[in-house]
């Protein structure tokens, strides 16, 4: 269980850590789907075309975001830098995917298009939050 110290900064750190972990899970799920794993959802099946380069990029993005979440929850001195770099890296991966699909480098599905758009907004939102004075202060160490 995560305890709050009553400091509003800790709430922002926890939210950023949770978002980082949640985003990582979605990237790992995307990687599995692009490796050909099919997920039954009742009468429907969640599936994506097998695209090995996409699975590799999504796995790397998931690893980066997992590392960022770990840095936040482990209270590393460089947690802000680590979580910022993880989100920037994942944003680069999403932009690479969007660009590849725009140039027809692989098959596209509605799910894949929507996922890229949602992750683009989510990653940019966390990066923007981290760049605000409150976002920076949340990770500042007390003297």
């Amino acid at each position: 269980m995560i305890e709050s110290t009553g400091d509003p900064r800790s709430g922002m750190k926890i939210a950023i850590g949770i978002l980082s972990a949640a985003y990582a899970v979605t990237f790992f799920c995307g990687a599995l789907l692009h490796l050909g794993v099919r997920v039954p959802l009742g009468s429907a099946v969640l599936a994506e075309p097998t695209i090995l380069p996409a699975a590799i990029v999504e796995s790397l993005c998931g690893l980066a975001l997992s590392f960022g979440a770990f840095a936040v929850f482990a209270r590393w001195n460089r947690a802000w830098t680590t979580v910022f770099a993880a989100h920037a890296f994942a944003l680069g991966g999403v932009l690479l995917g969007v660009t590849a699909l725009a140039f027809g480098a692989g098959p596209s599905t509605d799910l894949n298009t929507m996922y890229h758009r949602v992750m683009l907004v989510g990653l940019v939102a966390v990066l923007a939050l981290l760049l605000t004075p409150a976002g920076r202060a949340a990770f500042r160490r007390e003297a």
Side-chain angles (χ1 to χ4, degrees):
M1 185 168 172
I2 300 172
E3 293 183 23
S4 175
T5 62
D7 185 352
R9 296 180 309 162
S10 66
M12 183 175 298
K13 283 171 74 170
I14 291 168
I16 289 171
I18 290 171
L19 284 172
S20 300
Y23 293 170
V25 168
T26 68
F27 275 104
F28 289 135
C29 289
L32 288 173
L33 289 171
H34 279 125
L35 287 173
V37 174
R38 299 168 58 86
V39 180
L41 299 172
S43 62
V45 175
L46 189 61
E48 281 291 312
T50 301
I51 306 171
L52 184 58
I56 292 168
V57 171
E58 288 166 341
S59 294
L60 291 173
C61 291
L63 286 172
L65 289 165
S66 296
F67 190 65
F70 180 80
V72 171
F73 291 127
R75 299 179 177 182
W76 285 1
N77 287 334
R78 300 278 183 205
W80 184 94
T81 303
T82 304
V83 77
F84 185 88
H87 281 78
F89 181 84
L91 178 62
V94 170
L95 292 173
L96 178 63
V98 167
T99 302
L101 291 174
F103 283 106
S108 181
T109 64
D110 290 340
L111 175 64
N112 203 6
T113 300
M114 186 171 26
Y115 176 75
H116 280 98
R117 290 177 182 172
V118 168
M119 289 312 299
L120 185 68
V121 170
L123 293 167
V124 168
V126 171
L127 285 168
L129 179 62
L130 286 166
L131 289 172
T132 65
R136 289 183 178 274
F139 288 88
R140 196 169 297 130
R141 290 275 179 183
E142 294 298 319

